[in-house]
Amino acid sequence: MTLNYSAPLDEMRFTLKDVFDAPTFWQNTPGLSHMDTDTVDMILDEMAKFSRDVLLPLNQSGDDESAKYLGDGKVSTPSGFQDAFKQYSDMGWIGLGGDPDFGGQGMPKMVTMLTEEMMFSTNQAFALYPNLTVGATLCLLANGSDEQKALYLPKLYSGEWSGTMCLTEAHAGTDLGIIKTRATPNDDGSYAITGTKIFITGGEHDLTENIVHLVLAKTPNAPAGSKGISLFIVPKFLVNDDGTLGERNGVAAGSIEHKMGIKASATCVMNFDNAKGYMVGAENTGLATMFVMMNYERVTMGLQGLGASVLAYQNAAAYAKDRLQGRHDDGIKNTDKAADPIIGFGDVRRMLLNAKTNSVASRTFAMYVARELDIAKFSDDEQAKSAAAAKVALLTPIAKAFLTDMAFNATIDCQQVFGGHGYIKEWGMEQIVRDTRISQIYEGTNGIQALDLLGRKVVKNNAVAIFALIDEINEACQDIDHAIKDATASAAKRVKYLTEQLLDAAKTDAHAINASAVDYLHAVGYLCYAYMYVLIVRACQGKSGEFYEERLKLAEYFTQRILPKLYAHADMAQAGSSSIMAFDDDFFA
């Protein structure tokens, strides 16, 4: 069976224009005053066509064929990927949000997040190749020298070259402070980079003529731990001063990983053997420099989850309308057939509504974060920029972890709608589940994101940022008349109390943060989704039409069937660490 996809453009435009009133925001933001809705509508229409007509047909075939290691450091992508990537590049999609001074189009994140959603809906593996390039451009734009920007950004925006980020090493994992890759100064100001990196997305492939690796390494006599990490540009082919390609650099793929999902994405082991590299930013500031890219990727992983859940929902809903099995509880519907469609059964509707309420809340939350990113980048009000950056720091782990956790659950629900067919490869649903699973693991596992939220963003911050968000949520609740109003206010009260309890627990219990972090993130995540439905209801009030009525019904479903989960997670988070830490290590042998 072939999966079908129709970009939910009406929902996207509703989120952009009705919920967040993007046109007014753009008009009042000097750096975005050039934006117009006609151009944005055209961008969304074109990506909808490209995703449906070019990317989706390559999704299952790419999974079947997969990326392949050919030996001698060479990697091939599946059939059709080269042509699709060329079309994608030629249409200017990679530079859509890029700096116009270097060939980008300067679109805000509120727009590019919607194009990213469509890509991840139709081909998660393909989307990762340009996605890593965009992350690399953000890192160079924020921290590269003028010469580095001029040399690399135009080629990356055009898609002639691609980018990667090379952080992880086999022994280190998330603990980047113990990486072993070394950077030894050369006489010409460059560095000789030696070491091995693993899990490098797009580390080698046949889509572009050059690959620009951003590599974390340690210089001689660097301070111990993460404070001694520097960042380097290490191109596959050295680049001459005039931008032409020179000789092959000392970097090559040693192998690719054989993975559960996203098989068409080349995940490489990269070997650096005295490869020539060029420092980005100041020495020993590499981790902070790379976080520009990492945080972008973390927000984008939330969009990966969102996109997957949309594709899964659309196909599960269509299947449920066509699949005949059993008779409806309230009487026979198909008197001329042996069975009724399963869409009439409450349990099937429950699974579909779980997925639908998730995708609507996820898209709204992603847009909320995108707006804060745009304020931090484009506003000329320094106070507003600072406040937006602080909010993004708080929300990034939620955008990455909660969105992907909920999306994976949604893909499982949609697979379940298919029954046994959902487990069979030909129907396509099992691939969605496999592909989406990685979104909870890479770019910092969701457990790490939870530790970041509770440990760094809440406890270390003395809850200033989260309490400010709760105040904002309570204020928004005053403007609506819907069941979600009181439910959200009660949820906000519970999360505030939980936060206060955990602040106290962290003072005396060394395990308190680690033991409660994931449940805390989920409790906050459900509160954020409730807030999004508050904003959705506010945008629908006073408007007539089936679309708006359906949003109000979704808000009611969320209130009754989803939001109560917040209280279970809050209770578990508040339970503390004693039952977790009661076992000796030998118990787990």
Side-chain angles (χ1 to χ4, degrees):
M1 299 295 292
T2 301
L3 293 174
N4 294 305
Y5 173 74
S6 177
L9 295 176
D10 56 344
E11 297 182 12
M12 292 179 173
R13 289 175 173 132
F14 166 75
T15 306
L16 187 66
K17 300 175 184 179
D18 293 65
V19 178
F20 291 102
D21 191 11
T24 299
F25 168 66
W26 295 333
Q27 185 179 13
N28 294 334
T29 304
L32 295 171
S33 57
H34 64 285
M35 294 292 300
D36 68 89
T37 55
D38 289 342
T39 299
V40 172
D41 284 340
M42 180 188 69
I43 288 171
L44 298 182
D45 287 338
E46 289 303 311
M47 179 51 78
K49 295 175 187 175
F50 181 82
S51 297
R52 180 195 64 210
D53 298 339
V54 179
L55 297 186
L56 186 63
L58 298 176
N59 190 42
Q60 192 166 10
S61 64
D63 182 67
D64 290 339
E65 186 176 344
S66 77
K68 288 184 170 59
Y69 182 70
L70 305 177
D72 195 27
K74 296 179 180 179
V75 173
S76 66
T77 55
S79 302
F81 270 50
Q82 286 186 346
D83 181 61
F85 191 87
K86 186 176 188 308
Q87 290 185 58
Y88 186 83
S89 301
D90 290 347
M91 294 171 72
W93 291 117
I94 297 176
L96 186 64
D99 190 322
D101 290 341
F102 301 99
Q105 298 177 52
M107 289 292 123
K109 185 66 175 176
M110 293 177 78
V111 174
T112 62
M113 64 147 282
L114 296 174
T115 63
E116 289 169 348
E117 178 197 324
M118 287 185 261
M119 287 183 64
F120 278 121
S121 288
T122 50
N123 200 317
Q124 296 186 52
F126 178 93
L128 293 173
Y129 290 106
N131 173 257
L132 267 294
T133 299
V134 171
T137 64
L138 290 171
C139 187
L140 290 175
L141 190 63
N143 300 283
S145 67
D146 291 341
E147 293 77 11
Q148 289 170 341
K149 294 175 187 177
L151 193 60
Y152 291 101
L153 287 178
K155 296 286 190 179
L156 290 169
Y157 286 150
S158 70
E160 296 171 77
W161 300 350
S162 61
T164 75
M165 61 177 184
C166 301
L167 289 72
T168 309
E169 299 179 12
H171 68 284
T174 303
D175 189 0
L176 296 174
I178 59 174
I179 62 172
K180 296 180 179 179
T181 301
R182 297 300 174 200
T184 305
N186 294 322
D187 293 339
D188 62 359
S190 66
Y191 289 78
I193 311 296
T194 299
T196 298
K197 300 288 185 177
I198 66 169
F199 301 155
I200 308 306
T201 300
E204 181 57 51
H205 53 73
D206 54 9
L207 302 177
T208 60
E209 63 181 14
N210 201 11
I211 302 174
V212 181
H213 303 287
L214 294 183
V215 185
L216 293 183
K218 290 193 171 186
T219 56
N221 304 315
S226 60
K227 294 181 180 179
I229 297 174
S230 298
L231 179 65
F232 300 88
I233 297 172
V234 184
K236 174 182 175 180
F237 288 96
L238 296 176
V239 182
N240 299 318
D241 291 341
D242 62 358
T244 60
L245 298 184
E247 64 183 20
R248 177 67 187 259
N249 206 354
V251 52
S255 64
I256 64 174
E257 306 294 349
H258 303 284
K259 308 185 298 291
M260 173 181 173
I262 56 167
K263 293 182 178 181
S265 172
T267 306
C268 303
V269 174
M270 299 301 298
N271 297 317
F272 298 84
D273 184 11
N274 286 317
K276 183 170 284 192
Y278 307 89
M279 186 176 289
V280 179
E283 187 173 2
N284 301 326
T285 64
L287 193 57
T289 301
M290 183 64 87
F291 262 109
V292 173
M293 185 178 190
M294 290 171 66
N295 284 335
Y296 169 84
E297 299 298 340
R298 286 170 177 172
V299 173
T300 300
M301 289 312 98
L303 297 173
Q304 178 181 354
L306 166 59
S309 68
V310 170
L311 181 67
Y313 169 79
Q314 288 189 4
N315 285 274
Y319 179 84
K321 292 177 182 178
D322 291 338
R323 174 68 167 171
L324 302 181
Q325 186 172 307
R327 290 300 188 185
H328 289 180
D329 297 333
D330 58 350
I332 296 174
K333 303 301 180 186
N334 287 338
T335 56
D336 59 335
K337 297 181 180 179
D340 294 327
I342 64 173
I343 192 66
F345 295 113
D347 187 56
V348 172
R349 287 176 171 241
R350 175 189 63 83
M351 292 185 286
L352 291 173
L353 285 169
N354 285 350
K356 185 65 176 182
T357 54
N358 169 75
S359 67
V360 170
S362 294
R363 183 181 300 108
T364 310
F365 184 74
M367 186 68 73
Y368 177 76
V369 177
R371 184 186 63 180
E372 298 303 314
L373 284 166
D374 287 339
I375 293 172
K377 180 177 180 179
F378 294 104
S379 176
D380 60 354
D381 183 335
E382 291 303 318
Q383 186 174 354
K385 289 167 70 80
S386 178
K391 188 178 291 185
V392 168
L394 173 72
L395 299 179
T396 293
I398 303 169
K400 195 278 182 182
F402 191 70
L403 266 63
T404 56
D405 280 348
M406 296 304 101
F408 185 71
N409 291 344
T411 64
I412 293 292
D413 273 335
C414 292
Q415 182 189 36
Q416 191 79 6
V417 169
F418 281 74
H421 294 301
Y423 200 69
I424 303 301
K425 182 175 179 61
E426 286 75 13
W427 289 81
M429 299 304 290
E430 60 86 34
Q431 183 190 341
I432 300 176
V433 173
R434 287 188 290 105
D435 286 351
T436 307
R437 182 66 180 93
I438 187 59
S439 66
Q440 299 169 290
I441 297 172
Y442 59 11
E443 307 307 335
T445 66
N446 286 1
I448 294 295
Q449 302 303 318
L451 290 173
D452 179 44
L453 174 66
L454 182 55
R456 292 194 183 100
K457 309 301 172 53
V458 175
V459 173
K460 191 173 181 180
N461 182 248
N462 201 33
V464 171
I466 188 68
F467 286 162
L469 178 63
I470 290 173
D471 288 342
E472 177 184 325
I473 293 171
N474 284 326
E475 184 176 350
C477 287
Q478 305 307 311
D479 299 335
I480 64 171
D481 181 18
H482 187 280
I484 193 71
K485 173 181 179 178
D486 292 339
T488 301
S490 296
K493 184 177 180 180
R494 181 68 180 95
V495 170
K496 185 172 185 178
Y497 177 74
L498 171 63
T499 303
E500 292 168 344
Q501 295 300 303
L502 293 179
L503 285 175
D504 288 339
K507 296 175 183 177
T508 58
D509 181 1
H511 301 291
I513 293 174
N514 221 311
S516 300
V518 169
D519 284 309
Y520 181 79
L521 183 142
H522 277 236
V524 175
Y526 283 117
L527 175 61
C528 288
Y529 274 21
Y531 180 25
M532 296 304 103
Y533 273 107
V534 167
L535 299 180
I536 289 168
V537 168
R538 186 171 68 184
C540 291
Q541 286 184 152
K543 298 176 182 176
S544 59
E546 185 178 12
F547 179 88
Y548 298 108
E549 292 172 2
E550 288 174 345
R551 303 311 105 179
L552 295 176
K553 291 178 182 178
L554 284 174
E556 185 172 354
Y557 180 86
F558 178 85
T559 302
Q560 294 181 0
R561 305 301 296 260
I562 305 295
L563 187 56
K565 296 177 183 180
L566 179 151
Y567 295 93
H569 285 289
D571 288 347
M572 289 185 283
Q574 201 170 322
S577 66
S578 59
S579 62
I580 292 177
M581 305 309 298
F583 300 88
D584 294 332
D585 291 354
D586 291 341
F587 171 82
F588 300 98

